[in-house]
């Protein structure tokens, strides 16, 4: 992972950090912090993961587990702190997706809330990984100056696909068609 991140940086390619279960062990937290130091373009995690990363700098209360035990809106301050400390765009997924960046980077001081998606997405393991991959694809295709908007768009498109899948699922069992 470190070699991939270093190579991406060397070639000025964007990359996205998904700090899976960062708060569930010291080993995972340290691994994520090491990757964080390599300056990802975007960090995408659920509320617990983003709080765990920001806790490494300040105490924001307890957190653990692979799934989030926090609502995304609980992580607004953690996301702002992490964006400022890391210089990365920070995306917190959940009922409301939160995307923020600090004044220290090109995208400036921005905070956007995306309300797309359906609660079932949270119950399907790997939708977090999938939306991270979609963010990477959008950011890779966009002008580097538009990485923030690309991140917002990816989360919105993924949420809308979830809404369409939910509607399709009322009529047939091919919910996955909406994501094709
Ligand atoms: N309550 C909700 N309502 C609407 N959309 C949601 C809800 N919870 C999660 N989502 C959406 O589900 C997707 C995955 O986000 P989630 O926060 O569940 O990731 P995660 O916990 O990292 O997932 P994983 O279990 O795969 O590790 C995101 O696109 C997010 O917007
Ligand atoms: C990486 C990974 N492995 C099992 S669940 C999970 C998170 C996917 O979003």
């Amino acid at each position: 992972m470190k070699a991939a991140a270093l190579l991406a940086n060397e070639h000025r390619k964007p990359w996205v950090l998904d700090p899976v279960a960062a708060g569930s062990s010291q080993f995972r937290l340290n691994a994520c912090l090491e990757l964080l130091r390599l300056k990802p373009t975007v960090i995408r995690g659920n509320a617990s993961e983003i709080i765990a990363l920001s806790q490494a700098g300040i105490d924001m209360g307890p957190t653990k587990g692979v799934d989030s035990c926090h609502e995304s809106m609980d992580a607004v301050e953690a996301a702002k702190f992490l964006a400022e400390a890391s210089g990365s765009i920070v995306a917190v997924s959940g009922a409301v997706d939160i995307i923020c960046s600090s004044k220290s980077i090109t995208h400036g001081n921005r905070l956007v809330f995306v309300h797309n998606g359906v609660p079932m997405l949270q119950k399907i393991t790997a939708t977090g990984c999938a939306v991270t991959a979609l963010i990477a694809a959008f950011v890779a295709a966009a002008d580097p100056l538009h990485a923030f908007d690309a991140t917002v768009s990816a989360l919105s498109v993924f949420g809308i696909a979830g809404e369409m899948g939910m509607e399709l699922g009322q009529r047939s069992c091919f919910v996955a068609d909406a994501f094709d």
Side-chain angles (χ1 to χ4, degrees):
M1 284 188 284
K2 280 190 271 180
L6 285 167
L7 197 64
N9 289 347
E10 195 183 315
H11 292 276
R12 299 183 184 281
K13 300 286 181 198
W15 62 281
V16 183
L17 174 64
D18 187 328
V20 180
S24 67
S25 72
Q26 195 61 45
F27 176 82
R28 298 186 78 92
L29 184 60
N30 288 343
C32 289
L33 290 173
E34 263 189 75
L35 289 166
L36 197 59
R37 282 192 273 278
L38 300 180
K39 302 227 163 281
T41 315
V42 183
I43 304 163
R44 192 298 308 171
N46 63 40
S48 293
E49 291 160 344
I50 297 301
I51 289 170
L53 281 186
S54 62
Q55 252 187 331
I58 48 168
D59 187 8
M60 298 191 72
T63 176
K64 62 177 176 166
V66 177
D67 288 324
S68 188
C69 54
H70 296 86
E71 297 296 327
S72 53
M73 292 304 281
D74 296 341
V76 175
E77 291 309 313
K80 284 188 196 168
F81 175 84
L82 191 57
E84 184 69 43
S86 65
S88 301
I89 295 163
V90 175
V92 189
S93 56
V96 180
D97 300 316
I98 300 153
I99 305 94
C100 78
S101 65
S102 79
K103 58 183 178 315
S104 59
I105 58 170
T106 335
H107 318 283
N109 211 356
R110 290 183 69 184
L111 181 64
V112 168
F113 299 95
V114 170
H115 292 259
N116 297 115
V118 290
M120 192 191 274
L121 285 173
Q122 202 158 28
K123 299 192 188 306
I124 304 170
T125 301
T127 51
C129 301
V131 79
T132 295
L134 195 67
I135 291 169
F138 273 48
V139 168
D143 183 297
L145 291 174
H146 296 150
F148 187 94
D149 295 324
T151 304
V152 172
S153 300
L155 283 154
S156 182
V157 164
F158 195 85
I160 291 168
E163 292 164 18
M164 290 167 67
M166 201 68 202
E167 205 185 310
L168 268 175
Q170 317 292 341
R171 287 181 269 132
S172 75
C173 57
F174 298 115
V175 176
D177 285 355
F179 289 88
D180 288 345

